[in-house]
Amino acid sequence: LTHANLLANIRAIGQALNVGPEDRGVSWLPLYHDMGLIGCWLLSLYFGMPLLVLSPLDFLSRPERWLWAIHYHRATLSVAPNFAYDLCARKIRDESIEGLDLSCWRAAMNGSEMVRPQTIARFTARFSRCGFRPEAMLPVYGLAESTVALCVPPLERGPRLDHIRRQALERQQRAEPAVHDHGGSATLTFVSVGRPLPGHALRIVDEAGQEVGERIEGSIQFRGPSSMAGYFRQPEATAAITRDGWLDSGDLGYWAGGELFVTGRSKDIILKAGRNLYPDEIEAAVEEVDGLRKGCVAAFGTADPAQGSEKLVVVAETREQSAPVRDRLRGEVTRRLMDALGVPPDDVLLLDPGLLPKTSSGKLRRAVARHAYEKGAIARGRPPMIWQWLRLSAGWARHSMARVGQATGRLVCSAYFYALFLALLLACRLAMIATPAGARSAALLRSFTLLFLRLAGLQIKVEGVEHLGAGPQVLVSNHASYVDVLALNAALPGYFCYVAKKELLGVPVIGGFIRKIGYLVVDRYSTAQGAAD
């Protein structure tokens, strides 16, 4: 991403959200994540907006800290992934939010992962009594390839839900409105993520790359000033998603009423019995089973040559260790999916906590989970904690020893340099006693300087000596440190008279050099005398 990409995206976000310096932000998102770094921190710097940054662990250990930070700092803007809103709605106790006031929150952006209508409903219902307005919820869409944000819905409208016929979308890729049965198994519900940011463009295309019309599912492609320059040192990967100036997001979606509805990742869609099954919907249904960890369920398809299609595999984490309880959980998962989809899973695999692969920002890595499942490696437990401690301790010991070695080396080097410098300095000063003042003493000092540099193993590289003409001349040095004196003495040919600050005359040894060689001194603290000097 270029600096121009970042600035274009930040400006467009600000225009879409009407951001100004009167706004206040709160974020717990890690700063190694694009939404935390660009969408929160850099955005706040650009618009001169105060931003309170919490540690991600502060939120994960006690989710109410995020909401109380919004309350205390009267924040108007905050963004988080869908799971964060779900965690707040499910896990925060009533007594922990007594007196909480969220009426200041005008834009609660929900992005970075699939936005679920159930989460929006739960969060809004739970916190409406705390002043949270339904109109403040903003489901947004973005991706790192477009810097961070790509689509934002209109402000103060509230989420727009689209209920469509399941069979039409799964079999024909058509998003036909469902007139009845909005909550039944024959209906799918998706959330609008709005329109492209100002100055950005988006289109939906079919498998042949042709743009499709309203309510036809296809691949989401985009372009604009926020579009990436490319994947770092991966030209083949960049070319693979480039289509005539458009970039393929890897997501599927459709247009309806001029707004985008994202249906899922194209590579994650499960093809089973002529139907397109959407992992997000499957995972949302399975997460409702008591005993399974929320946000720790993955659904994916894997090739099944016997059936000529894909097997539906569900992998979920649980803390339950009892075999009968795990059997009951598998049965409950099957019943939930039969009710929701009319299709049973081919395999339900229960894992211990922490075994489901995720990204650094907490997103499920379905492709990695699928690969591990096909190799039979997904259920392998982690090594005992003692081995983890030993491995970490060994790494720490190696790192510490390396740092001790570097510090010792620097200390020895420094001691040698200082001892050599002081010895030659005193020797030079003694030799100057019998040397006439002026140019002869300056030549002696230059000889000792060159000797010091040679014995210290330091080389001075000089360029442009040929530009020094004959006759009087003045050289102005960009003074960086007192080492300048050594460098200039070694580099400049002939006799140059240096200018020094007057207070150096009082420094032992150094003052003697200045007087003997005849350097000019300037009184910096007297304007009239300084000008005369």
Side-chain angles (χ1 to χ4, degrees):
L1 297 174
T2 65
H3 289 102
N5 291 150
L6 268 65
L7 286 170
N9 204 244
I10 288 170
R11 289 180 182 127
I13 294 171
Q15 188 175 344
L17 298 180
N18 196 23
V19 178
E22 68 280 356
D23 281 303
R24 289 175 176 268
V26 167
S27 175
W28 53 265
L29 299 172
L31 294 180
Y32 57 74
H33 189 265
D34 55 355
M35 198 159 69
L37 177 65
I38 305 169
C40 294
W41 187 51
L42 293 180
L43 181 127
S44 72
L45 290 179
Y46 182 87
F47 287 101
M49 178 186 78
L51 174 70
L52 177 74
V53 180
L54 305 172
S55 162
L57 295 178
D58 287 341
F59 167 75
L60 293 174
S61 60
R62 289 183 58 191
E64 63 268 24
R65 285 174 171 156
W66 175 38
L67 305 182
W68 278 110
I70 294 171
H71 164 96
Y72 284 124
H73 295 270
R74 308 314 295 159
T76 57
L77 305 175
S78 194
V79 58
N82 186 85
F83 87 86
Y85 292 95
D86 202 63
L87 193 65
C88 289
R90 291 177 180 273
K91 296 296 185 182
I92 297 178
R93 301 190 306 273
D94 287 341
E95 55 268 28
S96 299
I97 53 174
E98 286 296 329
L100 180 68
D101 179 14
L102 299 177
S103 59
C104 57
W105 201 357
R106 71 174 183 86
M109 290 155 283
N110 185 339
S112 183
E113 59 187 21
M114 196 76 169
V115 181
R116 294 177 178 175
Q118 304 94 323
T119 299
I120 293 176
R122 271 195 291 266
F123 186 88
T124 303
R126 178 77 193 281
F127 295 100
S128 58
R129 65 184 179 89
C130 299
F132 181 79
R133 299 176 302 109
E135 299 79 17
M137 180 63 73
L138 281 181
V140 296
Y141 172 67
L143 63 166
E145 288 82 353
S146 184
T147 302
V148 60
L150 183 56
C151 291
V152 175
L155 294 172
E156 293 298 324
R157 185 197 64 187
R160 175 187 168 191
L161 305 183
D162 193 32
H163 307 282
I164 62 175
R165 294 178 56 236
R166 177 189 297 278
Q167 188 173 10
L169 186 71
E170 290 181 349
R171 297 186 182 274
Q172 303 168 14
Q173 287 73 59
R174 302 183 64 85
E176 297 179 0
V179 181
H180 305 292
D181 191 29
H182 284 181
S185 61
T187 303
L188 285 170
T189 302
F190 293 105
V191 182
S192 166
V193 292
R195 307 182 184 97
L197 293 172
H200 295 66
L202 189 148
R203 68 177 184 175
I204 310 293
V205 301
D206 58 20
E207 293 182 355
Q210 300 300 312
E211 196 164 351
V212 299
E214 181 99 345
R215 290 193 171 275
I216 303 296
E217 184 187 47
S219 298
I220 301 172
Q221 296 182 355
F222 64 94
R223 67 183 178 189
S226 301
S227 299
M228 68 172 185
Y231 292 118
F232 185 61
R233 294 178 179 173
Q234 297 183 62
E236 297 84 3
T238 305
I241 70 164
T242 304
R243 308 282 188 273
D244 300 324
W246 296 80
L247 294 180
D248 192 333
S249 68
D251 292 321
L252 299 175
Y254 62 89
W255 287 114
E259 297 187 17
L260 175 66
F261 291 82
V262 180
T263 57
R265 296 286 292 171
S266 57
K267 64 182 180 181
D268 291 337
I269 297 297
I270 302 165
L271 306 176
K272 184 172 178 63
R275 296 172 58 184
N276 286 355
L277 303 181
Y278 297 87
D280 286 284
E281 182 194 15
I282 296 170
E283 291 158 3
V286 173
E287 283 182 5
E288 298 296 325
V289 176
D290 289 335
L292 299 183
R293 300 187 71 207
K294 303 298 183 288
C296 298
V297 177
F300 52 84
T302 184
D304 184 7
Q307 297 182 16
S309 62
E310 289 188 327
K311 289 169 55 179
L312 171 57
V313 180
V314 175
V315 182
E317 292 183 2
T318 180
R319 298 187 187 280
E320 302 290 346
Q321 297 297 322
S322 167
V325 174
R326 288 199 168 201
D327 288 340
R328 179 184 61 77
L329 290 175
R330 293 188 189 95
E332 184 62 25
V333 168
T334 300
R335 283 190 293 274
R336 288 293 177 107
L337 292 185
M338 283 297 295
D339 292 342
L341 307 177
V343 175
D346 294 283
D347 192 7
V348 177
L349 188 62
L350 300 182
L351 305 179
D352 292 336
L355 294 184
L356 199 59
K358 292 185 177 183
T359 67
S360 60
S361 57
K363 291 182 183 179
L364 291 171
R365 303 178 68 188
R366 296 191 186 101
V368 176
R370 179 194 302 115
H371 183 67
Y373 174 84
E374 290 171 348
K375 292 178 62 178
I378 194 169
R380 291 177 186 169
R382 289 177 293 183
M385 186 65 70
I386 184 62
W387 290 111
Q388 296 186 48
W389 278 109
L390 289 174
R391 189 172 66 252
L392 289 172
S393 298
W396 171 82
R398 286 196 302 270
H399 178 69
S400 298
M401 291 301 293
R403 293 189 64 179
V404 168
Q406 292 170 0
T408 303
R410 286 195 297 269
L411 185 62
V412 171
C413 247
S414 298
Y416 171 68
F417 286 161
Y418 277 110
L420 179 63
F421 177 76
L422 291 174
L424 291 178
L425 186 71
L426 291 174
C428 181
R429 186 70 187 93
L430 292 173
M432 275 188 181
I433 295 175
T435 305
R440 295 285 296 275
S441 290
L444 181 65
L445 176 61
R446 186 169 188 268
S447 299
F448 272 90
T449 301
L450 292 171
L451 178 61
F452 166 75
L453 294 174
R454 180 182 295 275
L455 295 177
L458 302 175
Q459 292 184 340
I460 301 293
K461 182 180 179 181
V462 184
E463 296 178 354
V465 175
E466 65 275 9
H467 300 310
L468 294 176
Q473 49 197 306
V474 175
L475 299 183
V476 181
S477 165
N478 185 10
H479 178 47
S481 77
Y482 289 116
V483 181
D484 294 349
V485 179
L486 298 177
L488 292 171
N489 262 307
L492 295 177
Y495 173 61
F496 276 86
C497 184
Y498 290 84
V499 177
K501 55 188 178 184
K502 188 176 181 179
E503 51 264 38
L504 287 179
L505 290 174
V507 178
V509 182
I510 301 297
F513 276 104
I514 292 175
R515 292 186 181 91
K516 186 73 176 182
I517 299 175
Y519 286 175
L520 302 176
V521 292
V522 175
D523 188 344
R524 300 185 298 166
Y525 298 106
S526 170
T527 305
Q529 186 60 47
D533 293 337

